[in-house]
Amino acid sequence: MAMDTQMWLTYFAKASYVVATALFILGIKRMSSPVTARKGIEQAGLGMVLATLATFAITGSHNVLLIVAGIAVGVLPTWMWGKKVAMTDMPQMVALFNGMGGGSAAAIGASELIKYSGTGTAPPTSIIAFAVVGALIGAISMTGSIIAWAKLDGRMDKRFTFSGQQYFNFAIFIAAALAGAALVLWQLNTPLVITFFVLALAFGVLMTLPIGGADMPVVISLFNAFTGLAVAFEGYVMQIEALIVAGMVVGAAGTLLTQLMAKAMNRPISGVLFSNFGGGGAQQEIAGSQKPIEASDAASLLYMADKVIIVPGYGMAVAQAQHKIWELSQALIKAGKEVKFAIHPVAGRMPGHMNVLLAEAGVPYDLIADMEDINPEFKTCDVAIVIGANDVVNPSAKTDKSSPIFGMPILDVVDARQVIVIKRGKGTGFAGIENALFYADNCKLLYADGKEAANKLISELKAIESGGGH
Amino acid sequence: MIDPFIALFIFMLAAFTGHEIISRVPVILHTPLMSGSNFVHGIVLVGAMIALAHADTTVGKVIGFIGVVLGAGNAAGGYVVTERMLQMFKSSKDKKG
């Protein structure tokens, strides 16, 4: 009789998983369109709650307090952290949560492998094989994501390289794969399981260390796809179809997304992972000098302009200047000028990140233009304001073959009649490259903090409009 | 047990599904979508819960517990940040209202 009840409870849970999985797929589909995106995440969230609650029908009372405690320990800090983190820091949060998912998949693999170690009663080879492969990918995704998080969060030097690094990393990966193969084909024993995990975790760290911050979005997206795959494989181990389907859907969607991002940055994925980016290599000398401008002069240029294009970059978000910039734009619009925002595909830290930041400041998205749409318009634009963007407006990407960013699509800001670059100082961008734009004849630099510069421009503009000046 | 070849078919079909459903995503949604799919693989929590429920040894319980904590963190954190990002996407009409 008790057996019978358990059977029905399992059926109930499995039916709930079917519904949850459908909600995930619909949710992801809806999240790929701006109109339905908010509904999409709510649906996927509903699926997650349903699947989690239904699982208690399978687990019964065994270790149930531990399970509830584990959920509480996992949910509370991440929920609160996610609620209060600044929009600018979202990419590293995604990396961190993704690493947790990879770690969870690796833990499932570990618990199954340890369970059968030395007992002599091994489950079918296919189960062990999936457990090993899922654990390998999950472990790499976990430590790799943590390094990505640390780098984006500024807790770690941008890059770490040594000679022969790629061979060393490759050797570690082969060693991890061999240890995994031995677990599947030879025998399960605890020391070998531990060796396997140490090697896999180490490889995740090692493969991410040499990758520069500018390439991190692609790497995070790749690890996101990795975690999806790891979840799918561990889903087979646990014989839960929902994990297989949801994990694989994310694995495939994440892979496509990684390709789209890499394409937007014009960096082949292999280049991101295996070549050393930035620094080194003799670049062309840049002729000319950087010409500073005062806020009052910049404001008169704006006052006389008919068409203004604003090019925001991550630096604007760091300075928390997006609200002030929107205020400035509103003042310009009120004065009868055409104002647009030009967004490079990788402005911010990830494709689409800048759109989120501008949306947060209240900029309606009909004023925001993508690179392909806005590039021809720079020629007819009187003033282009570059704030906190650097590498994505560097004309060297088109003209200097020796530049590390050569070939990357850029915003043709240099075509504008007048360019005003708002910048804190004379430093280089994220990729550490000199920017030829800053030396161009039609470019003036307004040295100031982004917020302060926007403030000054607003008040100077008001002064000019009221006919006064200072 | 699921036949390994049936599993391979499920893998394949799910992979095509994942590829298909996001193939027309605009650039502005790349980051929220990555975050949203990051949330969805938080379903790993379910696997970790069952692994912990089956654990009998101390080592097994510790590993299972870690799995549940990490999986729950993935799901909860992933949901909150995605929801916050997508809340920003209001059309110009919503804003004026």
Side-chain angles (χ1 to χ4, degrees), chain A residues 202-271:
Chain A
F203 180 72
V205 173
L206 289 168
M207 78 171 274
T208 320
L209 278 177
I211 301 172
D215 283 333
M216 234 9 111
V218 179
V219 176
I220 294 174
S221 179
L222 187 70
F223 285 144
N224 185 42
F226 273 17
T227 302
L229 284 179
V231 171
F233 292 155
E234 298 306 337
Y236 180 77
V237 175
M238 302 304 294
Q239 300 282 299
I240 310 168
E241 294 84 350
L243 264 69
I244 300 181
V245 175
M248 204 64 204
V249 165
V250 173
T255 307
L256 177 60
L257 206 52
T258 310
Q259 286 167 346
L260 292 174
M261 284 189 188
K263 212 167 104 189
M265 297 169 77
N266 195 37
R267 296 271 294 147
I269 293 168
S270 61

Side-chain angles (χ1 to χ4, degrees), chain A residues 328-345:
Chain A
L328 173 66
S329 317
Q330 283 172 306
L332 291 170
I333 293 167
K334 226 173 103 190
K337 297 167 199 325
E338 188 189 351
V339 178
K340 279 190 179 168
F341 287 81
I343 311 283
H344 190 272

Side-chain angles (χ1 to χ4, degrees), chain A residues 75 81 99 168-169 198 255 350 401:
Chain A
V75 168
W81 204 0
F168 180 75
N169 291 359
V198 169
T255 307
M350 282 196 264
K401 277 193 178 146

Side-chain angles (χ1 to χ4, degrees), chain A residues 31-117:
Chain A
M31 273 187 266
S32 64
S33 156
V35 188
T36 52
R38 286 159 75 200
K39 277 267 175 305
I41 183 63
E42 282 164 18
Q43 274 183 333
L46 189 67
M48 191 67 73
V49 172
L50 175 67
T52 308
L53 292 180
T55 303
F56 284 105
I58 293 182
T59 59
S61 58
H62 200 231
N63 287 347
V64 71
L65 283 179
L66 263 183
I67 294 175
V68 173
I71 293 176
V73 172
V75 168
L76 291 177
T78 51
W79 187 276
M80 291 192 306
W81 204 0
K83 277 274 180 213
K84 69 168 196 219
V85 68
M87 277 293 159
T88 42
D89 295 339
M90 284 298 176
Q92 50 264 49
M93 292 314 283
V94 174
L96 197 61
F97 298 142
N98 177 56
M100 296 177 93
S104 185
I108 294 174
S111 75
E112 293 306 296
L113 293 174
I114 295 272
K115 189 157 80 185
Y116 295 111
S117 286

Side-chain angles (χ1 to χ4, degrees), chain A residues 85-381:
Chain A
V85 68
M87 277 293 159
T88 42
D89 295 339
M90 284 298 176
Q92 50 264 49
M93 292 314 283
V94 174
L96 197 61
F97 298 142
N98 177 56
M100 296 177 93
S104 185
I108 294 174
S111 75
E112 293 306 296
L113 293 174
I114 295 272
K115 189 157 80 185
Y116 295 111
S117 286
T119 58
T121 56
T125 311
S126 67
I127 296 274
I128 300 294
F130 276 112
V132 164
V133 175
L136 178 67
I137 301 172
I140 292 171
S141 176
M142 174 168 84
T143 50
S145 296
I146 292 172
I147 299 295
W149 166 76
K151 286 196 177 201
L152 283 179
D153 216 39
R155 285 164 199 268
M156 191 179 251
D157 279 333
K158 298 288 181 219
R159 289 169 69 240
F160 172 82
T161 52
F162 56 86
S163 66
Q165 190 169 22
Q166 283 174 31
Y167 298 104
F168 180 75
N169 291 359
F170 186 66
I172 297 288
F173 178 76
I174 291 296
L178 285 177
L183 288 172
V184 179
L185 302 171
W186 179 52
Q187 64 161 311
L188 278 173
N189 67 62
T190 309
L192 193 54
V193 171
I194 293 170
T195 310
F196 165 71
F197 273 99
V198 169
L199 288 168
L201 293 168
F203 180 72
V205 173
L206 289 168
M207 78 171 274
T208 320
L209 278 177
I211 301 172
D215 283 333
M216 234 9 111
V218 179
V219 176
I220 294 174
S221 179
L222 187 70
F223 285 144
N224 185 42
F226 273 17
T227 302
L229 284 179
V231 171
F233 292 155
E234 298 306 337
Y236 180 77
V237 175
M238 302 304 294
Q239 300 282 299
I240 310 168
E241 294 84 350
L243 264 69
I244 300 181
V245 175
M248 204 64 204
V249 165
V250 173
T255 307
L256 177 60
L257 206 52
T258 310
Q259 286 167 346
L260 292 174
M261 284 189 188
K263 212 167 104 189
M265 297 169 77
N266 195 37
R267 296 271 294 147
I269 293 168
S270 61
V272 171
L273 295 179
F274 303 118
S275 81
N276 296 332
F277 183 60
Q283 290 155 43
Q284 281 175 14
E285 286 281 320
I286 298 167
S289 60
Q290 297 193 4
K291 297 161 284 293
I293 189 172
E294 291 300 319
S296 52
D297 296 327
S300 348
L301 284 175
L302 287 173
Y303 181 70
M304 289 183 290
D306 290 321
K307 181 167 178 177
V308 177
I309 298 178
I310 299 172
V311 182
Y314 188 68
M316 176 198 73
V318 170
Q320 289 294 317
Q322 57 268 45
H323 294 90
K324 280 289 161 197
I325 287 292
W326 174 227
E327 212 180 306
L328 173 66
S329 317
Q330 283 172 306
L332 291 170
I333 293 167
K334 226 173 103 190
K337 297 167 199 325
E338 188 189 351
V339 178
K340 279 190 179 168
F341 287 81
I343 311 283
H344 190 272
V346 293
R349 280 291 178 267
M350 282 196 264
H353 190 201
M354 186 53 66
N355 301 72
V356 174
L357 296 172
L358 288 178
E360 188 194 16
V363 181
Y365 57 79
D366 29 319
L367 295 188
I368 302 176
D370 285 343
M371 184 173 67
E372 284 112 57
D373 300 329
I374 199 83
N375 261 349
E377 289 192 37
F378 279 108
K379 287 192 187 70
T380 61
C381 149

Side-chain angles (χ1 to χ4, degrees), chain A residues 17 24-25 28-29 31-34 37-38 41-42 44-45 48 51-52 55-56 59 62-63 66-67 70-71 74-75 78-79 82-85 87 90 94 97-98 100-101 103-105 107-108 110-111 124 126 130 220-221 224 227-228 231-233 236 238-241 243-246 248-250 252-253 256-257 260-261 350-353 355-356 359-360 363-366, chain B residues 1-5 7-8 10-12 14-57 59-61 63-92 94-96:
Chain A
Y17 293 163
F24 290 152
I25 295 175
I28 294 179
K29 174 143 183 69
M31 273 187 266
S32 64
S33 156
R38 286 159 75 200
I41 183 63
E42 282 164 18
M48 191 67 73
T52 308
T55 303
F56 284 105
T59 59
H62 200 231
N63 287 347
L66 263 183
I67 294 175
I71 293 176
V75 168
T78 51
W79 187 276
K83 277 274 180 213
K84 69 168 196 219
V85 68
M87 277 293 159
M90 284 298 176
V94 174
F97 298 142
N98 177 56
M100 296 177 93
S104 185
I108 294 174
S111 75
S126 67
F130 276 112
I220 294 174
S221 179
N224 185 42
T227 302
V231 171
F233 292 155
Y236 180 77
M238 302 304 294
Q239 300 282 299
I240 310 168
E241 294 84 350
L243 264 69
I244 300 181
V245 175
M248 204 64 204
V249 165
V250 173
L256 177 60
L257 206 52
L260 292 174
M261 284 189 188
M350 282 196 264
H353 190 201
N355 301 72
V356 174
E360 188 194 16
V363 181
Y365 57 79
D366 29 319
Chain B
M1 195 185 116
I2 310 168
D3 181 275
F5 282 99
L8 284 179
I10 301 178
F11 280 133
M12 179 189 70
F16 278 115
T17 307
H19 198 276
E20 193 53 38
I21 56 176
I22 69 142
S23 57
R24 259 174 291 164
V25 61
V27 172
I28 60 162
L29 281 173
H30 279 185
T31 296
L33 183 64
M34 172 154 100
S35 179
S37 58
N38 176 41
F39 160 69
V40 167
H41 65 52
I43 188 67
V44 71
L45 169 63
V46 165
M49 286 167 74
I50 294 175
L52 176 54
H54 291 167
D56 294 317
T57 61
V59 178
K61 283 180 190 175
I63 296 173
F65 186 77
I66 293 171
V68 170
V69 170
L70 293 177
N74 180 183
Y79 183 82
V80 173
V81 297
T82 311
E83 213 259 345
R84 276 187 61 198
M85 274 190 237
L86 289 176
Q87 243 168 25
M88 307 299 167
F89 285 86
K90 291 174 182 151
S91 75
S92 357
D94 292 350
K95 238 167 243 157
K96 274 157 199 155

